[in-house]
Amino acid sequence: LKKYLSKLYISSQTGLVKPDPEFISDAIRSLDSSDSEIVFVDDKTRNLEAVEGIDTLLADGDWVTELLNEGHL
């Protein structure tokens, strides 16, 4: 999965808590990409609903944990 991602943001590493709009806007602003190239992935629907202007993807906790355990993230 890493080979398909140019950048990965994890809220716990930024000191911000989702769905803090500052976390989302900082991440988007720092990317050198158009909104159509950005996907926001989260395991909570309420965090996805706070995002506007980019695609979102709901991922359950098991999926994320598996990717982390296998070293893909």
Side-chain angles (χ1 to χ4, degrees), residues 42-54:
D42 202 276
D43 62 341
K44 293 184 177 59
T45 304
R46 68 180 167 90
N47 292 335
L48 299 177
E49 292 170 346
V51 176
E52 296 180 8
I54 61 172

Side-chain angles (χ1 to χ4, degrees), residues 9 11 18-19 23-24 27-28 38-51 54-59:
Y9 288 90
S11 61
K18 297 173 291 181
F23 168 76
I24 297 164
I28 292 170
I38 300 171
V39 178
F40 181 83
V41 180
D42 202 276
D43 62 341
K44 293 184 177 59
T45 304
R46 68 180 167 90
N47 292 335
L48 299 177
E49 292 170 346
V51 176
I54 61 172
D55 290 329
T56 61
L57 176 65
L58 179 63

Side-chain angles (χ1 to χ4, degrees), residues 16-27:
L16 299 171
V17 179
K18 297 173 291 181
D20 185 332
E22 186 177 345
F23 168 76
I24 297 164
S25 62
D26 284 355

